[in-house]
Amino acid sequence: MVALTPDQREYAERAESVAAEFADEAYTWRGDVPWENLRRLADTDLYCPSISAEYGGQGLGDVTAMLLTEAVGRECPDTGWFTYMQSMVAPRAIDVFGSEEVKREFLPDVTAGESFVSIAISEPDAGSDVGAMTTTVTETDGRLVCNGEKTWVGGVPFGDAAVTWVRFPDGLGSVVIPYDDPGVEIETVYTNMAGYAQTHFTIDDVVVPESHVLTRGKAAFKRQLVSLNWERLGSSVLTVAWAEAALEQALSYASEREQFGQTLDSFQGIEWKLAEMYRQVETAASLTYLSAAGAQGHERPPSRLRTSTAKLHCSQMVESVVSEAVQIVGARAYQQGHPLEHLYRLARGRRIAAGTDEMQLNTIARALKEDGLPAVSER
């Protein structure tokens, strides 16, 4: 893994110290929002580190947000998910692409741990196929008007708005849609395997102020697509945190549980499992942080080749590691309510969310065909 700077190490140590306070209530949220944890992070100047300081963040960049996600997600997987989503996904898009007006409207409440902004991309007939989106923004009587529908959107029941991908007459783009607009109708709230709500909502003649347009036009939307490389790394480091949490539980249980007159970790078969789990976790962490190396702020994002590789590897890694932790702990871990049972359900979703395994493979193959292997000097 890339060595941290002194400032990054100090930040990570502070994050670990505060995250330790979340351990007692970890695995108890069951789809609820750990608002008190988010506010605690905000009060200690840790929350949303990659959001600009003038809107309540720290302006420290995306690598710092990755460190926060790992430190927090290792102690409380649910709080880790929220730190990732609000540091590296929708609010980050508002911070990077938004007008001063829309930033001031939404970001201060997010960075204070009081609000949640979602990302809305998928539609009933357009999931991975973004080009098939039919949610549109058209100009009517001098106003921008949005119509369409979005599904599988996380955070709607407790959120305030969504960064919504749409189709303009001149191509794809993105706008901010508040949920309290009278043209937004919640159609269905699903509960996924991890216990989180995912929502299908419709958008009927919602007027979009120019200030709420984030990207429009081919060049602007391409910048937003490139910015997704950071989201992929955020998802990758979140899975690293969850895998670390699972490995720690397996280690603890194996050192205490006795069978046939000795602890489980005395059996070579269990030793090998633990060693293999660590190999997978450390390989994933190294790949993730190396993929971010050399990227500075938003001017030099990490490459699509490396970030898609990290996302694919980490999503598969966490499912494997958590599954082996369940195997070591046995029947206890297979019961509803056990921390490893919760981690197992969380882990499975990462092979779908933030880009499916199959889409990452497509991206990797296209990047290799177009650009070839990265040069040694690009390490």
Side-chain angles (χ1 to χ4, degrees), residues 250-251 253-254 264 270 273-274 277 323-330:
L251 279 166
Y253 182 83
L264 287 184
I270 299 298
K273 281 183 181 292
L274 294 170
M277 291 160 71
S323 179
E324 284 287 50
V326 170
Q327 191 70 19
I328 290 171
V329 176

Side-chain angles (χ1 to χ4, degrees), residues 193-271:
M193 284 176 61
Y196 282 73
Q198 291 185 281
T199 300
H200 177 192
F201 65 85
T202 56
I203 306 164
D204 185 19
D205 286 339
V206 170
V207 176
V208 180
E210 285 286 354
S211 62
H212 283 49
V213 175
L214 299 184
T215 57
R216 179 179 183 177
K218 185 175 181 179
F221 191 68
K222 184 177 180 180
R223 284 186 61 220
Q224 186 157 23
L225 287 175
V226 171
S227 77
L228 289 181
N229 293 340
W230 282 116
E231 180 186 348
R232 294 187 186 105
L233 290 186
S235 177
S236 299
V237 82
L238 179 65
T239 62
V240 167
W242 291 348
E244 289 171 333
L247 178 53
E248 285 183 331
Q249 291 183 49
L251 279 166
S252 176
Y253 182 83
S255 69
E256 297 171 358
R257 174 68 166 169
E258 289 192 5
Q259 292 285 274
F260 305 102
Q262 59 188 29
T263 58
L264 287 184
D265 63 1
S266 300
F267 292 93
Q268 188 178 62
I270 299 298
E271 286 184 321

Side-chain angles (χ1 to χ4, degrees), residues 14 26 36 61 66 93 106 120 188 197-198 222 235-236 240 271 292 308 339 351 356 374:
R14 287 198 297 121
E36 51 263 55
M66 291 165 61
F106 293 104
T188 310
Q198 291 185 281
K222 184 177 180 180
S235 177
S236 299
V240 167
E271 286 184 321
S308 287
R351 293 184 60 190
T356 65

Side-chain angles (χ1 to χ4, degrees), residues 28-285:
T28 67
W29 298 103
R30 303 302 173 193
D32 292 334
V33 187
W35 289 119
E36 51 263 55
N37 292 355
L38 306 185
R39 287 191 283 267
R40 174 64 176 144
L41 291 170
D43 291 343
T44 52
D45 295 325
L46 290 167
Y47 197 46
C48 296
S50 55
I51 302 298
S52 299
E54 54 264 46
Y55 310 111
Q58 283 79 55
L60 297 176
D62 296 283
V63 174
T64 307
M66 291 165 61
L67 294 171
L68 177 67
T69 297
E70 184 180 2
V72 172
R74 190 167 171 170
E75 293 288 350
C76 178
D78 297 285
T79 307
W81 182 82
F82 280 89
T83 59
Y84 150 66
M85 289 294 292
Q86 297 304 270
S87 293
M88 303 189 73
V89 190
R92 181 184 179 280
I94 293 176
D95 190 30
V96 175
F97 304 111
S99 66
E100 183 67 19
E101 182 178 339
V102 78
K103 290 178 186 179
R104 295 207 175 275
E105 181 177 353
F106 293 104
L107 293 182
D109 286 343
V110 166
T111 57
E114 303 287 349
S115 176
F116 184 92
V117 177
S118 308
I119 184 78
I121 301 176
S122 293
E123 299 177 3
D125 296 319
S128 297
D129 186 6
V130 174
M133 288 193 311
T134 59
T135 298
T136 59
V137 173
T138 56
E139 191 164 345
T140 305
D141 298 327
R143 301 184 304 173
L144 296 176
V145 180
C146 184
N147 285 279
E149 58 184 329
K150 293 294 178 180
T151 195
W152 312 128
V153 183
V156 177
F158 47 78
D160 292 315
V163 170
T164 307
W165 287 25
V166 298
R167 182 177 297 281
F168 287 94
D170 54 348
L172 298 178
S174 59
V175 299
V176 179
I177 301 287
Y179 297 135
D180 61 3
D181 189 287
V184 175
E185 185 73 26
I186 305 301
E187 299 292 338
T188 310
V189 179
Y190 306 94
T191 301
N192 65 23
M193 284 176 61
Y196 282 73
Q198 291 185 281
T199 300
H200 177 192
F201 65 85
T202 56
I203 306 164
D204 185 19
D205 286 339
V206 170
V207 176
V208 180
E210 285 286 354
S211 62
H212 283 49
V213 175
L214 299 184
T215 57
R216 179 179 183 177
K218 185 175 181 179
F221 191 68
K222 184 177 180 180
R223 284 186 61 220
Q224 186 157 23
L225 287 175
V226 171
S227 77
L228 289 181
N229 293 340
W230 282 116
E231 180 186 348
R232 294 187 186 105
L233 290 186
S235 177
S236 299
V237 82
L238 179 65
T239 62
V240 167
W242 291 348
E244 289 171 333
L247 178 53
E248 285 183 331
Q249 291 183 49
L251 279 166
S252 176
Y253 182 83
S255 69
E256 297 171 358
R257 174 68 166 169
E258 289 192 5
Q259 292 285 274
F260 305 102
Q262 59 188 29
T263 58
L264 287 184
D265 63 1
S266 300
F267 292 93
Q268 188 178 62
I270 299 298
E271 286 184 321
W272 285 4
K273 281 183 181 292
L274 294 170
E276 175 62 18
M277 291 160 71
Y278 177 74
R279 181 191 67 79
Q280 292 186 56
V281 171
E282 188 61 20
T283 299

